[in-house]
Amino acid sequence: MMQTSRPVGLLGYGVYVPRYRIAGKEIARIWTDGQGGVPVEAKSVPGLDEDTITMSIEAGRSALLRAGVPAQELSVVWVGSESHPYSVKPSGTIVAEALGTSPWISAADYQFACKAGSEALTAAMGMVGSGMAQYALAIGADTAQGRPGDALEYTASAGAAALLVGVAEAALATIDATVSYVSDTPDFFRRADRPYPVHGHRFTGEPAYFHHIKAATTRLLSELGRTATDFTYAIFHQPNAKFPQTVAKQMGFSEAQIKPGLLSPVIGNTYSAIALAGLCATLDIARPGDTILMTTYGSGSGADAYALTVTDALLERRERAPLMAAYLARQEFVDYAVYAKWRGKLVLG
Amino acid sequence: MDLAKRWRQKPAYYRLEGQRHRTSGEVRFPPQPPRVGESVEEWEAYPLQGTGEIYSFAGVRAAATEYEAQTPYLVALVRLDEGLLVSAQLTDCDEAELQIGQRVEMVTRRMSDTGPDGLLVYAYKFRPVLR
């Protein structure tokens, strides 16, 4: 279990989900003649003018608004993603300048499949917890892609979540402890010059997602001397709708505990953003004194578990920026042809 | 468009930063060099709120080469709450639902892609207020 020598917490948070959706049934219409089930009802689709950088900017602005912290006082802007618009050129500097930070910051991009944003969060805890920084912004954002017809195409979606880390006394939720558990597990990967990732099928699921999430979560619970029922809410990484519900049940968490943060059924898997966005959606409805457990997961593989406690400050800050519900409410469905055009799946001669 | 020009205008394009005259209080956008006879110190950077209303709008179906891939798209003259009139693209909305006087807010979006060996250009657009 890792704890900072100076207690830390979240001062603000912000989310972003694009306006557009494609229904799972619409994707199935193209590839399976509509036969069989779909892993999520719908997934978010980024508009033509959106990418990891633009979504990070909006989520980051909301996090700053909620915290009431001027951008000029940030010391850190870190963006975790598997879909940075550039292979070489940081997203972090563009996001930082759009937010209006000073140039005297650390800005970097993280990469760890769906856990890239939570890597940034843990590092931000270290920066603030050690006293090296007063305010650190950790962002998870993705415009994930699946090969046309692949199972991933039903779920790989777009969104962002930004968490502003600061000292616990000023936090809307304190981060009490974290655990990180990783191993070289080839369940899912994408080579540097390839457009779509592939599954290492034998390793998908049980030895990857389930093993790592359970290892990190049970270790955190046992070291804190708590059980699943001690938490008001829980969020687990959401590669589809089923996995988070299954892993929650296996570890003794109820449907009611995971419901506020379960977003994948309606927006798909926003990769680096999904668990963090689930945490934000949970903070949207949480009350002071509530306890929240979040366990992220990234292929390749690893899981980070965090224990948080909501403070009184949440209530006055919550409405300073749009809630997740505002983004979920503005859904505009597109068909597969529009989706294919927007996502660069058409070969233009 | 010229990369150096985009780079110079980052504060304006990325976050709608204008200028304010230190003595008269006049606000202007986009930022400009000092007029003849003015010193550089007379104008200070001034972040605009990014909120306003639609003064006029139009749909673009035949676009300049740089924006061809995005057609059709919407442009507008936006009357900012600071009183300035700014031209910009609209995003996340349909032409049929727009109205003169409608409240809009600034978002930073990908403006254009200058090709596989070129830069991505980010800039302000406006969308109907989210909430």
Side-chain angles (χ1 to χ4, degrees), chain B residues 51-58 74-81 84-105 125-129:
Chain B
T51 51
E53 59 182 47
I54 295 177
Y55 177 81
S56 182
F57 65 92
L74 298 160
V75 292
L77 286 169
V78 173
R79 177 72 71 188
L80 298 177
D81 289 341
L84 301 172
L85 201 56
V86 172
S87 65
Q89 278 195 36
L90 296 176
T91 189
D92 289 358
C93 56
D94 302 316
E95 192 170 353
E97 74 194 27
L98 291 178
Q99 292 185 344
I100 303 295
Q102 186 173 349
R103 295 291 297 170
V104 290
E105 60 191 354
K125 292 188 179 185
F126 286 83
R127 72 163 176 219
V129 171

Side-chain angles (χ1 to χ4, degrees), chain A residues 16 19 48-51 53-54 57-58 61 85-86 97-98 100 319-322 327 330 332 341, chain B residues 10 14-15 69-71 91-94 97 106-110 118-120 122 125 127 130-131:
Chain A
Y16 184 78
R19 177 191 188 219
L48 269 175
D49 58 0
E50 300 188 284
D51 60 23
I53 287 172
T54 66
I57 292 167
E58 180 154 343
R61 282 181 180 145
Y86 291 93
E97 291 224 21
E319 300 293 334
R320 290 179 185 172
Y327 290 99
R330 59 165 198 163
E332 180 80 15
K341 178 191 168 192
Chain B
K10 273 182 307 183
Y14 285 7
R15 56 178 193 267
Q70 299 175 39
T71 53
T91 189
D92 289 358
C93 56
D94 302 316
E97 74 194 27
M106 187 273 282
V107 290
T108 305
R109 292 294 171 90
R110 190 190 281 196
L119 282 181
L120 299 167
Y122 296 93
K125 292 188 179 185
R127 72 163 176 219
L130 187 64
R131 45 160 198 165

Side-chain angles (χ1 to χ4, degrees), chain A:
Chain A
M1 185 168 74
M2 296 185 282
Q3 287 178 304
T4 51
S5 48
R6 174 165 84 150
V8 300
L10 303 179
L11 274 56
Y13 65 92
V15 294
Y16 184 78
V17 181
R19 177 191 188 219
Y20 304 100
R21 307 279 185 280
I22 185 167
K25 282 181 182 168
E26 172 67 4
I27 298 174
R29 180 177 71 86
I30 304 299
W31 298 111
T32 67
D33 199 20
Q35 304 297 307
V38 291
V40 294
E41 290 165 37
K43 70 167 185 174
S44 58
V45 177
L48 269 175
D49 58 0
E50 300 188 284
D51 60 23
T52 288
I53 287 172
T54 66
M55 297 190 304
S56 295
I57 292 167
E58 180 154 343
R61 282 181 180 145
S62 289
L64 288 167
L65 271 177
R66 279 211 172 84
V69 170
Q72 285 280 325
E73 292 183 23
L74 282 178
S75 297
V76 170
V77 175
W78 288 334
V79 182
S81 181
E82 63 107 75
S83 45
H84 290 289
Y86 291 93
S87 294
V88 179
K89 186 179 189 313
S91 302
T93 53
I94 301 171
V95 172
E97 291 224 21
L99 295 177
T101 71
S102 99
W104 301 101
I105 63 164
S106 168
D109 296 357
Y110 282 73
Q111 188 263 104
F112 195 140
C114 295
K115 195 168 83 77
S118 103
E119 288 293 341
L121 172 61
T122 297
M125 289 171 62
M127 287 291 275
V128 175
S130 66
M132 284 175 70
Q134 193 67 15
Y135 304 114
L137 187 62
I139 299 172
D142 262 306
T143 53
Q145 290 262 34
R147 177 182 289 109
D150 188 274
L152 266 182
E153 192 180 27
Y154 291 90
T155 55
S157 67
L163 301 174
L164 203 159
V165 178
V167 294
E169 301 90 77
L172 54 79
T174 58
I175 309 175
D176 308 323
T178 182
V179 160
S180 183
Y181 177 82
V182 305
S183 73
D184 177 359
T185 303
D187 62 326
F188 174 89
F189 49 89
R190 176 169 68 82
R191 295 287 297 271
D193 55 354
R194 300 292 289 165
Y196 302 117
V198 296
H199 284 286
H201 292 285
R202 137 90 177 82
F203 292 98
T204 297
E206 198 51 53
Y209 178 91
F210 289 94
H211 172 68
H212 290 79
I213 285 193
K214 284 191 230 175
T217 306
T218 53
R219 175 80 173 244
L220 182 64
L221 291 178
S222 80
E223 296 207 2
L224 285 171
R226 297 198 219 169
T227 63
T229 52
D230 291 332
F231 286 87
T232 321
Y233 299 109
I235 300 102
F236 301 103
H237 174 58
Q238 299 160 32
N240 49 39
K242 194 171 102 182
F243 277 23
Q245 298 183 70
T246 304
V247 82
K249 193 175 177 185
Q250 288 173 349
M251 292 190 295
F253 291 90
S254 69
E255 279 182 30
Q257 281 173 297
I258 63 168
K259 191 163 182 280
L262 188 62
L263 304 170
S264 59
V266 289
I267 61 168
N269 177 11
T270 59
Y271 280 50
S272 298
I274 194 71
L276 307 187
L279 171 62
C280 296
T282 303
L283 289 169
D284 281 350
I285 56 99
R287 302 170 61 84
D290 285 350
T291 48
I292 302 174
L293 180 130
M294 169 175 73
T295 307
T296 63
Y297 172 76
S299 289
S301 277
D304 296 340
Y306 304 84
L308 299 96
T309 306
V310 177
T311 77
D312 293 337
L314 175 64
L315 299 181
E316 56 162 323
R317 292 186 205 167
R318 187 148 59 197
E319 300 293 334
R320 290 179 185 172
L323 304 178
M324 175 55 92
Y327 290 99
L328 298 183
R330 59 165 198 163
Q331 45 185 351
E332 180 80 15
F333 280 84
V334 298
D335 64 14
Y336 196 88
V338 169
Y339 163 78
K341 178 191 168 192
W342 284 2
R343 300 304 286 141
K345 296 177 195 298
L346 298 180
V347 179
L348 303 171

